[in-house]
Amino acid sequence: MARTEASPESRLEAPWDGPPAGFGGLAGDLRAVRVMWQRELIRLSRNRIGSVMSLLTPLLFLLVLGTGMNSVTARAGADGTDYRTYLLPGAVLMVVMAPALNTGMSIVWDRHAGFLREMLVAPVHRTALISGICLGGATAATVHGVLLLMAAALFGATFAPLLLVPLVMELLAITLAFTALGALAAVSVERMETFQSVVGIAMTPLIFLSGAFFPSNGLPGWLQGAVLANPLSYATDAMRQTLATDGSGNTGAGLHWAGWQVPVMLEVAALSLLALTALAAAARRFSRTD
């Protein structure tokens, strides 16, 4: 029996029955978040060489710079604090910042490759897409941070194994904040060269004014305001105070607001608020992407 085919006109006039099963609504948005999160993890698992290479520079900082500074402080008669343990939060942040900000790079690349346009026509809310991308980038960055913590413990940086739990929670807040900031920059610029320049210019002062390599309380007064306004300062200080809870670390005097030391919980809460604010701004801007 001959098959009857609908004419082009009848197909155009046929009523739309809505998105396919599994799409649309809250369930569809959650599925989109999971798919985008999983895509970022697959990207991480397929770039094993890149992941290993990203760990080498921070490990060299710990082994070479940390060991060298230990000998210098020993000759100067310091209190004997292991500089490798002091340097560990800065080294971890160096590791997690790269994959967190590379998530923004992937958004810019997807736009140039045309894949972003294919995602935007999917029958799901665009906020779900950007949320899944940011959650996937934050998870990948946290995995990098945990790997460095485990490697650092093998190379002389001492901390209690139970501290891994609060450190991972802090890393999730830190990486989500900077992944969302990277995504916000990515959806605000169109050219990859511009995105790379913005990230490169922003990262150098953020790292050097975060207290990652030396106590920030030794800086001149005119730089203290920049240190307190730097979100990376709170990330560094939160991890350093957590590592010092077992008595093996050095807090470096910590951050103070008018003489009051900022507690770790408040620093993590501020980073979480920054993450949600940046994610909301990125989602708003992403929703207007053509």
Side-chain angles (χ1 to χ4, degrees):
M1 183 174 62
R3 187 177 59 183
T4 303
E5 295 185 356
S7 65
E9 292 77 7
S10 63
R11 286 200 296 269
L12 290 175
E13 294 173 357
W16 185 57
D17 295 330
F23 289 94
L26 179 60
D29 288 343
L30 292 177
R31 184 172 182 270
V33 170
R34 181 181 63 80
V35 169
M36 300 311 298
W37 172 81
Q38 191 173 15
R39 177 174 180 254
E40 294 300 321
L41 295 187
I42 291 174
R43 193 200 303 271
L44 169 67
S45 64
R46 291 182 177 177
N47 189 21
R48 296 174 185 173
I49 296 178
S51 299
V52 172
M53 295 299 292
S54 69
L55 297 175
L56 288 180
T57 300
L59 278 176
L60 285 176
F61 265 87
L62 283 175
L63 292 177
V64 179
L65 182 61
T67 304
M69 290 302 296
N70 268 344
S71 62
V72 171
T73 54
R75 286 198 297 270
D79 58 0
T81 300
D82 192 327
Y83 187 73
R84 287 169 297 190
T85 305
Y86 178 84
L87 192 61
L88 182 56
V92 172
L93 290 178
M94 288 176 64
V95 169
V96 303
M97 292 298 286
L101 295 175
N102 281 341
T103 302
M105 181 77 75
S106 69
I107 295 175
V108 179
W109 179 254
D110 285 340
R111 179 189 290 123
H112 282 267
F115 185 68
L116 183 62
R117 184 175 296 277
E118 296 180 10
M119 286 193 293
L120 294 179
V121 299
V124 295
H125 203 282
R126 293 183 177 183
T127 301
L129 296 174
I130 195 72
S131 298
I133 293 172
C134 290
L135 287 174
T139 304
T142 300
V143 170
H144 280 79
V146 172
L147 290 175
L148 182 71
L149 284 170
M150 297 172 66
L154 296 175
F155 288 105
T158 57
F159 60 90
L162 290 178
L163 292 180
L164 272 177
V165 176
L167 287 172
V168 169
M169 300 302 293
E170 292 168 4
L171 279 176
L172 284 173
I174 295 167
T175 55
L176 183 59
F178 284 93
T179 302
L181 288 173
L184 178 60
V187 297
S188 301
V189 300
E190 295 185 356
R191 296 179 62 85
M192 185 174 296
E193 295 81 2
T194 305
F195 178 81
Q196 291 174 329
S197 299
V198 169
V199 171
I201 292 173
M203 286 307 301
T204 302
L206 286 178
I207 287 287
F208 283 111
L209 292 175
S210 67
F213 305 114
F214 49 83
S216 57
N217 59 337
L219 294 173
W222 60 275
L223 279 178
Q224 289 297 323
V227 171
L228 294 178
N230 181 4
L232 210 53
S233 300
Y234 299 95
T236 304
D237 191 59
M239 293 190 63
R240 186 163 290 148
Q241 290 196 54
T242 301
L243 287 168
T245 54
D246 64 347
S248 61
N250 183 346
T251 62
L255 294 176
H256 292 79
W257 289 346
W260 177 66
Q261 183 167 0
V262 185
V264 174
M265 291 300 294
L266 183 56
E267 292 174 325
V268 176
L271 289 167
S272 302
L273 180 61
L274 174 64
L276 295 177
T277 303
L279 183 59
R284 180 180 176 82
R285 184 65 183 84
F286 191 66
S287 298
R288 293 183 293 173
T289 301
D290 295 329

